[in-house]
Amino acid sequence: MGPARCSGVGSGNSGAYTTEIAESLRFEEEIHSIVHPSLDSSPAAGGSFTALLGLPANQAVELLHETGPSEAPGSAAAPSPTGELWRLRLGEHAAGPLHLPLGCSPTFPSNAALVERAARFSVFAAEDSPALSSGGGPSPRLKAEPLDSDSPPLLPIPTEKTQRPAKRKECEKSKAKGPAKKSKSAEENTAAAAKETAAENTDGEKLPYVHVRARRGQATDSHSLAERARREKINARMKLLQELVPGCSKITGTALVLDEIINHVQSLQRQVEFLSMRLAAVNPRIDFGGLDSFLSAECGPLATANGRGGVALDPALWSSHPVTANGARWLPQPQIRHVDVWPTQQSSTAWTRDGPAHPHALLNPGASLVGYDPASSVLLNSNQLKTEL
Amino acid sequence: MITAALISKRNPEGSTSENKWRTGARERAYRRRLVEALCRARGGSASGPRAVKEAADSALALTARGRSRWSRAILFGRRGGNLLLKARGRVLVRRGRPRMVAAPRPEGKGVRDSLRTLRWLVPGCRKVSTSSLLKESADYVAALEMQVKAMRGLFGV
């Protein structure tokens, strides 16, 4: 689009460029004069806009249309050429925001503000000096002829433009359509700028829901943010689980931790099963009379209530299982110490064997609650389970 | 209670699920329910260990007051009406918004398999999301530990 357009226009409008530039600074009237090379009084900044932006004339015109056909009359009322109503309109559009930062000097090259604005448009990204120099060729495509003159070759501008912060592009983008009308790649630019500005906007400036400063090197769109939040939630819960399961704090790596957790859950379930099996075996003989202390019992050591008749198990059974090896860990209560016997066969035989011999209630409401730390007992048991099973 | 104190020191945060399970109140509640269930079971079915286990698990689920997903699954799974009646209105059924967003990518094949195994282990967590699964399993582990402790205490160990 660029070069072809520029070629035709550039030829005869060089004189008006400076004028255009100067006028662009003052927006309305200046724009008018720019539009009309004939009208042009101060040719200083004439072709500034188009040259700056490199927009082809037609695109500029189109942009003009985009920005607001309705405003044409208002701006048209302004000074001169009626043909450029739309341009004026657009110019006003652009004029508004541009007004503030712009300086006063009409001379284009020296106008920092203009340069700034030009940079904002970032139209020059696609354009290069050759394009600009070609006279901002868009004129032939411009519907309005005066537009042709708006493409002065502004060589210094492109360099500056790229340096501008991209954020301004967004503000400028929509409003800059007017001034950018002449630039060749305005559309491309806006498309590119849109992406950039969108990216930048979401970078913590204009998030609709939460203002999050994106971390360095991380994506910032809403999807990745949600993903990140979710992932952090999962990690937090994982850490909770890790603390819960003994021995998982040292393990690094999700898979291993999960395996450990699974083992723990399985062992706990198996323990419950064994315990329930034992309970089932003892059930017929359970004397629930002495349950009061059990029900009110805390987990700590309790006074023995041997007299009440809570006999756990036959010492023979007790000695037969491997726990005696670990006897040091278990409370050395000489008497009835019922330790978990994990070998099922052993326990079942023990049950049957000892059943008749011990009519006492198995339930020992707190008498044989051993004085060791219950938590450690559970842990010991689970460890034992793991070793034995 | 020493246990509870120790553990609560480790987890200073307010009311995590495991803290609730470690308190003595829960255990007492569980024991009560367990004994009731055992009496009932003894009178009812034969002394099958399975019945005992089921009774114990149901008692555990009741003690959880239906606030966790697995407890609800247990309660609803065991011949529906019975256990709900036993709960006598103490089971809170919180209809949460079902999470449509399941776990997209739990990073790694091994992790995924482990998560799947975990789903099998924890009752009622077949289709929940990963984060819910982890939360439920934490609650479940705490509850199981309490159950084991209580049953052992029952035995006098």
Side-chain angles (χ1 to χ4, degrees):
Chain A
M1 281 201 324
R5 291 188 307 245
C6 298
S7 55
V9 179
S11 51
N13 298 328
S14 42
Y17 293 138
T18 47
T19 314
E20 289 177 351
I21 294 172
E23 293 182 333
S24 66
L25 297 180
R26 277 196 291 156
F27 308 112
E28 293 150 17
E29 302 95 9
E30 291 174 353
I31 289 175
H32 287 309
S33 48
I34 290 169
V35 169
H36 254 313
S38 57
L39 289 179
D40 178 8
S41 51
S42 54
S48 57
F49 280 110
T50 47
L52 281 176
L53 308 176
L55 256 191
N58 349 353
Q59 284 187 353
V61 172
E62 282 159 21
L63 284 176
L64 274 173
H65 273 293
E66 285 173 24
T67 46
S70 55
E71 293 148 22
S75 50
S80 35
T82 55
E84 290 70 37
L85 285 188
W86 0 298
R87 274 196 71 210
L88 295 177
R89 187 176 18 125
L90 206 53
E92 278 187 333
H93 258 296
L98 298 179
H99 217 357
L100 306 170
L102 285 188
C104 313
S105 62
T107 42
F108 164 74
S110 55
N111 189 2
L114 183 59
V115 168
E116 193 184 53
R117 197 177 37 171
R120 273 182 287 184
F121 297 155
S122 71
V123 172
F124 298 98
E127 299 302 322
D128 230 344
S129 36
L132 292 175
S133 56
S134 62
S139 49
R141 310 245 302 248
L142 278 178
K143 294 176 192 172
E145 258 198 38
L147 288 177
D148 298 346
S149 56
D150 289 347
S151 52
L154 299 176
L155 297 176
I157 294 190
T159 54
E160 309 258 6
K161 152 190 71 81
T162 48
Q163 296 162 7
R164 307 319 300 201
K167 287 184 189 162
R168 296 213 228 156
K169 279 188 234 164
E170 196 254 348
C171 320
E172 291 301 325
K173 181 170 50 92
S174 51
K175 301 159 187 171
K177 283 191 184 158
K181 56 194 176 242
K182 305 277 178 69
S183 62
K184 227 184 298 184
S185 57
E187 290 179 357
E188 304 170 343
N189 196 35
T190 49
K195 270 186 289 185
E196 299 177 16
T197 50
E200 288 169 357
N201 285 341
T202 53
D203 186 17
E205 284 189 352
K206 299 187 186 176
L207 277 180
Y209 313 108
V210 74
H211 288 262
V212 171
R213 176 60 52 185
R215 285 192 282 217
R216 185 181 171 79
Q218 299 212 351
T220 57
D221 55 316
S222 61
H223 288 294
S224 44
L225 278 174
E227 180 79 15
R228 204 173 352 139
R230 180 190 145 263
R231 208 153 279 290
E232 283 171 6
K233 192 170 161 191
I234 287 185
N235 286 340
R237 296 211 169 141
M238 193 73 154
K239 241 195 313 192
L240 255 183
L241 259 180
Q242 247 183 313
E243 289 171 11
L244 200 48
V245 176
C248 267
S249 326
K250 307 170 201 160
I251 303 181
T252 50
T254 317
L256 294 174
V257 165
L258 278 177
D259 287 342
E260 192 61 36
I261 291 171
I262 287 174
N263 282 340
H264 194 243
V265 169
Q266 280 174 340
S267 80
L268 283 176
Q269 283 179 341
R270 256 179 267 135
Q271 282 182 39
V272 170
E273 216 172 303
F274 285 138
L275 282 170
S276 68
M277 196 165 50
R278 281 206 307 217
L279 253 186
V282 180
N283 237 356
R285 264 185 303 269
I286 287 181
D287 169 23
F288 287 109
L291 278 181
D292 298 335
S293 54
F294 167 71
L295 287 176
S296 59
E298 305 269 339
C299 303
L302 290 183
T304 60
N306 286 338
R308 301 245 329 271
V311 173
L313 277 187
D314 190 26
L317 166 68
W318 167 47
S319 57
S320 59
H321 62 73
V323 176
T324 48
N326 302 325
R329 273 195 294 180
W330 298 84
L331 237 208
Q333 268 186 8
Q335 53 205 312
I336 301 98
R337 272 281 325 164
H338 178 62
V339 190
D340 285 341
V341 181
W342 292 116
T344 2
Q345 311 81 8
Q346 214 173 350
S347 59
S348 51
T349 53
W351 277 117
T352 50
R353 175 160 50 89
D354 299 332
H358 295 271
H360 300 285
L362 184 67
L363 289 178
N364 192 357
S368 16
L369 281 181
V370 201
Y372 58 92
D373 188 4
S376 65
S377 79
V378 174
L379 294 178
L380 287 173
N381 270 335
S382 50
N383 291 339
Q384 218 181 3
L385 251 189
K386 286 176 191 161
T387 52
E388 291 177 0
L389 290 172
Chain B
M1 296 320 292
I2 303 173
T3 316
L6 285 175
I7 294 191
S8 51
K9 266 189 230 161
R10 265 197 314 177
N11 299 314
E13 57 243 350
S15 58
T16 39
S17 52
E18 61 180 48
N19 281 348
K20 291 206 171 102
W21 281 109
R22 297 268 168 94
T23 59
R26 284 266 181 132
E27 184 150 0
R28 282 195 295 274
Y30 177 64
R31 289 186 187 194
R32 208 178 309 126
R33 291 228 171 89
L34 181 62
V35 168
E36 288 174 10
L38 286 177
C39 288
R40 228 175 288 116
R42 200 169 68 144
S45 64
S47 65
R50 192 150 306 239
V52 173
K53 174 173 181 292
E54 285 192 7
D57 287 343
S58 314
L60 184 68
L62 272 179
T63 311
R65 296 189 179 276
R67 280 209 211 100
S68 48
R69 199 182 182 86
W70 59 265
S71 66
R72 286 197 291 272
I74 290 180
L75 291 178
F76 295 147
R78 308 280 170 86
R79 292 165 308 200
N82 290 354
L83 299 169
L84 284 184
L85 284 177
K86 286 177 197 166
R88 257 165 279 161
R90 275 182 240 146
V91 174
L92 304 178
V93 180
R94 193 181 52 197
R95 314 299 309 278
R97 198 167 28 112
R99 284 204 53 179
M100 299 311 295
V101 183
R105 183 186 62 93
E107 325 114 25
K109 290 207 174 88
V111 173
R112 247 196 310 257
D113 289 342
S114 304
L115 283 175
R116 202 169 45 182
T117 315
L118 201 55
R119 272 175 219 268
W120 291 335
L121 285 179
V122 182
C125 287
R126 293 257 200 90
K127 293 181 193 170
V128 300
S129 53
T130 303
S131 75
S132 301
L133 177 66
L134 291 179
K135 180 174 158 202
E136 289 291 322
S137 63
D139 198 47
Y140 190 55
V141 164
L144 277 181
E145 285 191 13
M146 191 220 72
Q147 184 180 30
V148 166
K149 200 160 66 167
M151 287 175 87
R152 280 231 179 81
L154 196 59
F155 275 121
V157 174

